Amino acid sequence: MKTKKSTLAFLGFSFFVLIWILYSQPSPEEKISEDKEALALLFGGSSRESKGTFERTKKQQSLYDTEFWKEGVKDQAVGEETPSDEEEPEILEKVSEGNPINPQTGLPYTDEQMEAFDRLRQKFPNNSLIPRRMTPEEKKVEEDYKRRMLEIQSKVSIRSATAQEIEEYYQYQKKPIEDRIELLKYVLQELQDELTEEMIKQYQEVLRMNEQQLKNLEEQKKILLRTAM
């Protein structure tokens, strides 16, 4: 009798735990809503003004004006930050040491913004465009890699790069474009309600341009590999 009561009690408790787990999990709509703030900020919007929507600021009317759309190796010293033309906003939220710099403002992302990026990274774990905190060791590895890519870029420009270097260089160039396409497709598929008709057309056009750019890079690589050392 006691065994039967214990079994019933255990089953009842298990059922309660199962119901609690199911109802405590965020719904698909809630998860998508959590992504909006990070994506709006990443695409050059202002989380301070739009609070997670894809509205443009007055100074940033075009989707093409932001750092998000730039890719690949630049002729810029490693570790050098590009100054922002926008006025520096006052940071009221908490900012921890080591938070990466927002290229739109020249100021570090806030802890709240980094939490939004961390949630977005759970959906896109290998996306290199989502800002993340890095240890000094990780930063050094990244800077060394960028420095190597700049050296290979110089060799590619004078046709002295090896086949392996060409492959490595073009993979480096293609990676941010592939990651950008991944995020663009997600926005167009899941978050269209957050966009005006004009913005949807802009995102579709940018997606088309990036897909074409990938094809162009692949063609460039094939041409260079024919005459590689």
Side-chain angles (χ1 to χ4, degrees):
M1 187 70 178
K2 288 184 178 180
T3 303
K4 186 175 181 181
K5 287 183 177 179
S6 299
T7 302
L8 289 173
F10 174 76
L11 291 174
F13 176 75
S14 300
F15 178 75
F16 171 78
V17 171
L18 177 61
I19 294 298
W20 179 81
I21 290 174
L22 289 174
Y23 278 92
S24 64
Q25 293 297 313
S27 67
E29 291 79 11
E30 288 173 332
K31 289 181 179 179
I32 289 174
S33 179
E34 288 177 352
D35 297 338
K36 291 190 292 188
E37 181 180 354
L39 285 164
L41 186 65
L42 186 61
F43 284 16
S46 171
S47 64
R48 298 168 64 89
E49 294 184 17
S50 61
K51 204 60 182 176
T53 69
F54 292 83
E55 297 172 6
R56 314 305 302 164
T57 64
K58 292 179 181 178
K59 289 187 177 181
Q60 209 168 277
Q61 297 299 325
S62 173
L63 187 66
Y64 314 107
D65 293 338
T66 73
E67 288 291 324
F68 177 77
W69 310 112
K70 301 175 183 178
E71 74 289 322
V73 179
K74 305 173 186 177
D75 295 322
Q76 180 177 334
V78 175
E80 179 182 337
E81 298 291 343
T82 304
S84 172
D85 294 331
E86 295 189 6
E87 297 177 5
E88 293 188 357
E90 180 182 2
I91 295 182
L92 302 177
E93 295 87 358
K94 182 181 177 183
V95 177
S96 296
E97 184 178 355
N99 286 6
I101 300 298
N102 180 347
Q104 308 307 321
T105 65
L107 296 173
Y109 289 109
T110 67
D111 288 0
E112 183 180 353
Q113 291 167 343
M114 290 306 299
E115 289 174 5
F117 287 138
D118 289 342
R119 290 192 296 268
L120 184 63
R121 192 177 300 104
Q122 292 176 9
K123 190 181 298 291
F124 305 106
N126 298 317
N127 196 293
S128 63
L129 300 180
I130 302 173
R132 65 184 180 91
R133 295 183 183 91
M134 290 191 292
T135 65
E137 292 75 19
E138 288 173 329
K139 287 182 180 179
K140 184 179 185 307
V141 169
E142 185 179 77
E143 289 189 355
D144 288 345
Y145 184 51
K146 287 182 178 179
R147 192 173 291 110
R148 171 171 166 75
M149 290 302 102
L150 283 169
E151 292 172 356
I152 294 178
Q153 182 184 50
S154 298
K155 296 174 73 173
V156 168
S157 65
I158 60 174
R159 300 295 182 96
S160 65
T162 65
Q164 181 178 347
E165 288 172 333
I166 291 171
E167 290 281 0
E168 187 177 358
Y169 172 73
Y170 276 92
Q171 180 55 42
Y172 181 80
Q173 291 284 42
K174 288 163 61 177
K175 173 62 174 168
I177 304 175
E178 293 168 342
D179 291 344
R180 189 177 303 112
I181 288 173
E182 179 180 56
L183 296 177
L184 284 166
K185 285 183 175 179
Y186 176 72
V187 169
L188 288 169
Q189 180 178 343
E190 302 290 347
L191 305 176
Q192 280 203 29
D193 291 343
E194 293 294 317
L195 299 170
T196 64
E197 185 176 348
E198 180 184 357
M199 287 297 293
I200 290 175
K201 290 179 180 178
Q202 284 193 25
Y203 275 90
Q204 290 172 337
E205 176 62 14
V206 172
L207 175 60
R208 186 196 65 77
M209 289 167 60
N210 276 268
E211 289 174 336
Q212 183 59 49
Q213 194 165 15
L214 271 185
K215 293 179 182 179
N216 293 343
L217 285 173
E218 189 62 30
E219 287 301 317
Q220 291 174 19
K221 185 184 76 171
K222 288 178 180 178
I223 292 172
L224 287 171
L225 284 174
R226 292 176 193 147
T227 57
M229 296 177 62

Short mmCIF file of all heavy atoms in Angstrom, two decimals, residues 9-43:
data_model
loop_
_atom_site.label_atom_id
_atom_site.label_comp_id
_atom_site.label_asym_id
_atom_site.label_seq_id
_atom_site.Cartn_x
_atom_site.Cartn_y
_atom_site.Cartn_z
N ALA A 9 2.62 9.30 -5.64
CA ALA A 9 3.20 10.60 -5.25
C ALA A 9 4.31 10.98 -6.21
O ALA A 9 4.44 12.14 -6.62
CB ALA A 9 3.71 10.53 -3.82
N PHE A 10 5.14 9.99 -6.57
CA PHE A 10 6.25 10.26 -7.49
C PHE A 10 5.74 10.68 -8.86
O PHE A 10 6.23 11.62 -9.47
CB PHE A 10 7.13 9.01 -7.62
CG PHE A 10 8.22 9.14 -8.65
CD1 PHE A 10 9.35 9.90 -8.39
CD2 PHE A 10 8.10 8.52 -9.88
CE1 PHE A 10 10.34 10.03 -9.34
CE2 PHE A 10 9.08 8.66 -10.83
CZ PHE A 10 10.21 9.42 -10.55
N LEU A 11 4.70 9.96 -9.34
CA LEU A 11 4.13 10.29 -10.65
C LEU A 11 3.51 11.68 -10.63
O LEU A 11 3.63 12.45 -11.59
CB LEU A 11 3.08 9.25 -11.04
CG LEU A 11 3.62 7.85 -11.38
CD1 LEU A 11 2.47 6.87 -11.60
CD2 LEU A 11 4.51 7.92 -12.62
N GLY A 12 2.83 11.99 -9.54
CA GLY A 12 2.22 13.31 -9.42
C GLY A 12 3.26 14.41 -9.41
O GLY A 12 3.11 15.45 -10.06
N PHE A 13 4.35 14.18 -8.67
CA PHE A 13 5.44 15.17 -8.62
C PHE A 13 6.09 15.32 -9.99
O PHE A 13 6.38 16.43 -10.44
CB PHE A 13 6.47 14.74 -7.58
CG PHE A 13 7.68 15.63 -7.52
CD1 PHE A 13 7.60 16.89 -6.92
CD2 PHE A 13 8.88 15.24 -8.07
CE1 PHE A 13 8.69 17.73 -6.88
CE2 PHE A 13 9.99 16.07 -8.02
CZ PHE A 13 9.88 17.32 -7.42
N SER A 14 6.31 14.20 -10.69
CA SER A 14 6.93 14.23 -12.01
C SER A 14 6.07 14.99 -13.00
O SER A 14 6.57 15.77 -13.81
CB SER A 14 7.16 12.79 -12.53
OG SER A 14 8.01 12.08 -11.65
N PHE A 15 4.73 14.76 -12.90
CA PHE A 15 3.81 15.48 -13.79
C PHE A 15 3.87 16.98 -13.53
O PHE A 15 3.89 17.80 -14.46
CB PHE A 15 2.39 14.96 -13.57
CG PHE A 15 1.35 15.66 -14.40
CD1 PHE A 15 1.24 15.39 -15.76
CD2 PHE A 15 0.50 16.59 -13.83
CE1 PHE A 15 0.29 16.03 -16.53
CE2 PHE A 15 -0.44 17.24 -14.60
CZ PHE A 15 -0.55 16.95 -15.95
N PHE A 16 3.94 17.35 -12.25
CA PHE A 16 4.03 18.77 -11.89
C PHE A 16 5.31 19.39 -12.44
O PHE A 16 5.29 20.50 -13.00
CB PHE A 16 4.00 18.91 -10.36
CG PHE A 16 4.30 20.30 -9.88
CD1 PHE A 16 3.33 21.30 -9.92
CD2 PHE A 16 5.56 20.62 -9.40
CE1 PHE A 16 3.61 22.59 -9.48
CE2 PHE A 16 5.85 21.91 -8.97
CZ PHE A 16 4.87 22.89 -9.01
N VAL A 17 6.43 18.68 -12.31
CA VAL A 17 7.72 19.19 -12.82
C VAL A 17 7.67 19.34 -14.33
O VAL A 17 8.14 20.33 -14.90
CB VAL A 17 8.87 18.24 -12.41
CG1 VAL A 17 10.16 18.64 -13.13
CG2 VAL A 17 9.08 18.28 -10.91
N LEU A 18 7.06 18.35 -15.02
CA LEU A 18 6.96 18.42 -16.48
C LEU A 18 6.14 19.63 -16.91
O LEU A 18 6.54 20.36 -17.84
CB LEU A 18 6.31 17.14 -17.01
CG LEU A 18 6.06 17.07 -18.52
CD1 LEU A 18 7.37 17.17 -19.28
CD2 LEU A 18 5.33 15.79 -18.88
N ILE A 19 5.00 19.86 -16.25
CA ILE A 19 4.16 21.02 -16.58
C ILE A 19 4.93 22.31 -16.34
O ILE A 19 4.89 23.25 -17.15
CB ILE A 19 2.86 21.00 -15.76
CG1 ILE A 19 2.00 19.81 -16.16
CG2 ILE A 19 2.09 22.31 -15.93
CD1 ILE A 19 1.55 19.82 -17.60
N TRP A 20 5.66 22.37 -15.24
CA TRP A 20 6.43 23.58 -14.91
C TRP A 20 7.50 23.85 -15.96
O TRP A 20 7.69 24.98 -16.40
CB TRP A 20 7.09 23.43 -13.54
CG TRP A 20 7.90 24.62 -13.15
CD1 TRP A 20 7.46 25.79 -12.62
CD2 TRP A 20 9.32 24.76 -13.30
NE1 TRP A 20 8.50 26.66 -12.43
CE2 TRP A 20 9.66 26.06 -12.83
CE3 TRP A 20 10.33 23.93 -13.77
CZ2 TRP A 20 10.97 26.52 -12.83
CZ3 TRP A 20 11.63 24.39 -13.77
CH2 TRP A 20 11.93 25.68 -13.30
N ILE A 21 8.18 22.79 -16.41
CA ILE A 21 9.23 22.95 -17.44
C ILE A 21 8.63 23.46 -18.73
O ILE A 21 9.15 24.38 -19.38
CB ILE A 21 9.97 21.61 -17.66
CG1 ILE A 21 10.83 21.27 -16.44
CG2 ILE A 21 10.84 21.68 -18.92
CD1 ILE A 21 11.46 19.90 -16.51
N LEU A 22 7.51 22.85 -19.13
CA LEU A 22 6.88 23.24 -20.40
C LEU A 22 6.44 24.69 -20.38
O LEU A 22 6.64 25.43 -21.35
CB LEU A 22 5.68 22.33 -20.69
CG LEU A 22 6.02 20.88 -21.07
CD1 LEU A 22 4.73 20.06 -21.19
CD2 LEU A 22 6.80 20.82 -22.36
N TYR A 23 5.84 25.12 -19.28
CA TYR A 23 5.30 26.47 -19.23
C TYR A 23 6.36 27.52 -18.91
O TYR A 23 6.15 28.70 -19.13
CB TYR A 23 4.17 26.56 -18.19
CG TYR A 23 2.86 26.07 -18.73
CD1 TYR A 23 2.49 24.74 -18.58
CD2 TYR A 23 2.01 26.92 -19.42
CE1 TYR A 23 1.29 24.27 -19.10
CE2 TYR A 23 0.80 26.46 -19.94
CZ TYR A 23 0.44 25.14 -19.78
OH TYR A 23 -0.73 24.69 -20.30
N SER A 24 7.50 27.08 -18.40
CA SER A 24 8.57 28.04 -18.09
C SER A 24 9.47 28.29 -19.29
O SER A 24 10.26 29.22 -19.29
CB SER A 24 9.42 27.54 -16.92
OG SER A 24 10.09 26.33 -17.26
N GLN A 25 9.38 27.45 -20.33
CA GLN A 25 10.19 27.63 -21.51
C GLN A 25 9.64 28.78 -22.34
O GLN A 25 8.43 28.89 -22.54
CB GLN A 25 10.20 26.35 -22.37
CG GLN A 25 10.91 25.19 -21.72
CD GLN A 25 12.37 25.47 -21.50
OE1 GLN A 25 13.05 25.96 -22.39
NE2 GLN A 25 12.86 25.19 -20.30
N PRO A 26 10.53 29.65 -22.87
CA PRO A 26 10.06 30.75 -23.73
C PRO A 26 9.37 30.20 -24.97
O PRO A 26 9.79 29.20 -25.54
CB PRO A 26 11.36 31.48 -24.11
CG PRO A 26 12.37 31.02 -23.12
CD PRO A 26 11.98 29.65 -22.71
N SER A 27 8.30 30.84 -25.38
CA SER A 27 7.61 30.44 -26.60
C SER A 27 8.45 30.86 -27.80
O SER A 27 9.34 31.71 -27.68
CB SER A 27 6.25 31.13 -26.67
OG SER A 27 6.43 32.52 -26.83
N PRO A 28 8.19 30.28 -29.00
CA PRO A 28 8.92 30.71 -30.21
C PRO A 28 8.82 32.20 -30.43
O PRO A 28 9.78 32.85 -30.87
CB PRO A 28 8.24 29.91 -31.33
CG PRO A 28 7.70 28.69 -30.65
CD PRO A 28 7.28 29.16 -29.28
N GLU A 29 7.63 32.78 -30.14
CA GLU A 29 7.46 34.22 -30.33
C GLU A 29 8.35 35.00 -29.38
O GLU A 29 8.95 36.01 -29.75
CB GLU A 29 5.99 34.60 -30.10
CG GLU A 29 5.03 34.09 -31.17
CD GLU A 29 4.69 32.62 -30.99
OE1 GLU A 29 5.03 32.05 -29.92
OE2 GLU A 29 4.09 32.03 -31.90
N GLU A 30 8.47 34.53 -28.12
CA GLU A 30 9.31 35.22 -27.15
C GLU A 30 10.78 35.14 -27.55
O GLU A 30 11.53 36.09 -27.40
CB GLU A 30 9.10 34.62 -25.76
CG GLU A 30 7.76 34.96 -25.14
CD GLU A 30 7.53 34.20 -23.85
OE1 GLU A 30 8.09 33.10 -23.71
OE2 GLU A 30 6.78 34.72 -22.99
N LYS A 31 11.19 33.97 -28.06
CA LYS A 31 12.59 33.81 -28.47
C LYS A 31 12.92 34.74 -29.64
O LYS A 31 13.98 35.34 -29.69
CB LYS A 31 12.84 32.35 -28.86
CG LYS A 31 12.84 31.40 -27.66
CD LYS A 31 13.11 29.97 -28.09
CE LYS A 31 13.15 29.04 -26.90
NZ LYS A 31 13.40 27.64 -27.30
N ILE A 32 11.99 34.84 -30.59
CA ILE A 32 12.20 35.73 -31.73
C ILE A 32 12.26 37.17 -31.26
O ILE A 32 13.08 37.96 -31.71
CB ILE A 32 11.08 35.53 -32.77
CG1 ILE A 32 11.25 34.17 -33.46
CG2 ILE A 32 11.10 36.64 -33.81
CD1 ILE A 32 10.13 33.82 -34.40
N SER A 33 11.39 37.52 -30.30
CA SER A 33 11.38 38.88 -29.77
C SER A 33 12.71 39.22 -29.13
O SER A 33 13.20 40.34 -29.23
CB SER A 33 10.24 39.03 -28.76
OG SER A 33 10.24 40.32 -28.22
N GLU A 34 13.32 38.24 -28.44
CA GLU A 34 14.62 38.46 -27.81
C GLU A 34 15.71 38.74 -28.84
O GLU A 34 16.67 39.45 -28.56
CB GLU A 34 15.00 37.24 -26.97
CG GLU A 34 14.17 37.07 -25.70
CD GLU A 34 14.54 35.81 -24.95
OE1 GLU A 34 15.33 35.02 -25.51
OE2 GLU A 34 14.06 35.62 -23.83
N ASP A 35 15.55 38.17 -30.04
CA ASP A 35 16.56 38.36 -31.08
C ASP A 35 16.51 39.77 -31.66
O ASP A 35 17.52 40.26 -32.19
CB ASP A 35 16.35 37.37 -32.22
CG ASP A 35 16.52 35.93 -31.77
OD1 ASP A 35 17.19 35.72 -30.75
OD2 ASP A 35 15.98 35.04 -32.44
N LYS A 36 15.36 40.41 -31.60
CA LYS A 36 15.17 41.67 -32.33
C LYS A 36 16.11 42.77 -31.87
O LYS A 36 16.66 43.50 -32.69
CB LYS A 36 13.72 42.13 -32.21
CG LYS A 36 12.73 41.24 -32.95
CD LYS A 36 11.35 41.86 -33.00
CE LYS A 36 10.72 41.91 -31.63
NZ LYS A 36 9.31 42.34 -31.69
N GLU A 37 16.28 42.89 -30.56
CA GLU A 37 17.13 43.96 -30.05
C GLU A 37 18.57 43.80 -30.53
O GLU A 37 19.19 44.77 -30.99
CB GLU A 37 17.10 43.99 -28.53
CG GLU A 37 17.95 45.12 -27.94
CD GLU A 37 17.92 45.15 -26.43
OE1 GLU A 37 17.15 44.38 -25.84
OE2 GLU A 37 18.66 45.96 -25.86
N ALA A 38 19.11 42.58 -30.44
CA ALA A 38 20.48 42.34 -30.86
C ALA A 38 20.66 42.58 -32.34
O ALA A 38 21.64 43.19 -32.79
CB ALA A 38 20.89 40.91 -30.50
N LEU A 39 19.71 42.10 -33.16
CA LEU A 39 19.81 42.27 -34.60
C LEU A 39 19.66 43.73 -35.02
O LEU A 39 20.38 44.21 -35.89
CB LEU A 39 18.76 41.41 -35.30
CG LEU A 39 19.07 39.91 -35.32
CD1 LEU A 39 17.82 39.11 -35.67
CD2 LEU A 39 20.19 39.59 -36.30
N ALA A 40 18.74 44.44 -34.36
CA ALA A 40 18.56 45.86 -34.68
C ALA A 40 19.84 46.63 -34.38
O ALA A 40 20.28 47.47 -35.17
CB ALA A 40 17.39 46.43 -33.88
N LEU A 41 20.46 46.32 -33.25
CA LEU A 41 21.70 46.99 -32.88
C LEU A 41 22.83 46.60 -33.82
O LEU A 41 23.62 47.45 -34.25
CB LEU A 41 22.06 46.61 -31.44
CG LEU A 41 23.26 47.31 -30.81
CD1 LEU A 41 22.97 48.81 -30.65
CD2 LEU A 41 23.57 46.71 -29.45
N LEU A 42 22.90 45.32 -34.16
CA LEU A 42 23.96 44.83 -35.03
C LEU A 42 23.86 45.40 -36.43
O LEU A 42 24.87 45.72 -37.06
CB LEU A 42 23.89 43.30 -35.09
CG LEU A 42 25.00 42.56 -35.84
CD1 LEU A 42 26.35 42.83 -35.19
CD2 LEU A 42 24.72 41.07 -35.85
N PHE A 43 22.63 45.59 -36.92
CA PHE A 43 22.42 46.11 -38.27
C PHE A 43 22.54 47.63 -38.33
O PHE A 43 22.29 48.23 -39.37
CB PHE A 43 21.05 45.70 -38.79
CG PHE A 43 20.99 44.24 -39.22
CD1 PHE A 43 21.95 43.34 -38.84
CD2 PHE A 43 19.95 43.79 -40.00
CE1 PHE A 43 21.89 42.01 -39.22
CE2 PHE A 43 19.87 42.47 -40.40
CZ PHE A 43 20.84 41.57 -40.00
#
